[in-house]
Amino acid sequence: MHKGFIIIASFLGALAVALGAFGAHGLKNYASPAMINTFETAVKYQFYHVFALSITGILYAYFPTPMLVTAGKLFIVGMSIFSGSLYLLTLFSVLGYNQFKWIGAITPIGGLILITAWILMGISLWRYKA
């Protein structure tokens, strides 16, 4: 499983670079400064958690616990919900679909999932007995 986490992290990292470049260069003519800030937040959090997922994969090689696997899966889900909702919010704003502003309300769910993943990572390492 650790290899899978690292592979997924590498592709999500590449996606974060591409989206970050798009946000820095392609969005400035279409999105408001507030929406560009929202998009940048999504890219930053995706990047932070790409590293967390990579670390989870590396740690799993040394501390193979089911809780660490759960943490890795939650990092993926949390990134998808947190950053994904912000990407969608920006996209719908640029397209003028204001009826989708409610998507911003699910962003904190992704944040809670990411917090849970960090906590599970810590607990799994703390409890590990070789």
Side-chain angles (χ1 to χ4, degrees):
M1 186 50 136
H2 59 58
K3 183 178 176 182
F5 286 157
I6 296 169
I7 290 168
I8 292 168
S10 68
F11 286 109
L12 289 174
L15 180 62
V17 171
L19 289 171
F22 172 73
H25 302 291
L27 273 182
K28 63 183 168 186
N29 296 326
Y30 303 102
S32 69
M35 290 316 300
I36 290 172
N37 186 48
T38 297
F39 193 86
E40 288 174 351
T41 297
V43 172
K44 281 190 279 189
Y45 273 77
Q46 182 173 340
F47 252 126
Y48 299 153
H49 290 92
V50 159
F51 293 122
L53 183 60
S54 297
I55 291 166
T56 303
I58 293 165
L59 287 172
Y60 186 77
Y62 299 97
F63 310 101
T65 67
M67 194 178 294
L68 199 55
V69 172
T70 302
K73 290 177 181 179
L74 289 177
F75 279 128
I76 295 166
V77 171
M79 264 190 280
S80 300
I81 294 172
F82 185 89
S83 293
S85 65
L86 295 178
Y87 292 139
L88 286 173
L89 192 62
T90 304
L91 174 66
F92 290 138
S93 174
V94 167
L95 295 175
Y97 296 134
N98 295 324
Q99 67 270 32
F100 292 105
K101 286 185 179 182
W102 60 266
I103 289 175
I106 66 169
T107 305
I109 296 168
L112 289 173
I113 294 169
L114 291 170
I115 291 167
T116 302
W118 283 105
I119 291 169
L120 289 180
M121 178 195 289
I123 291 171
S124 69
L125 296 173
W126 183 45
R127 288 184 175 176
Y128 184 78
K129 294 180 177 40

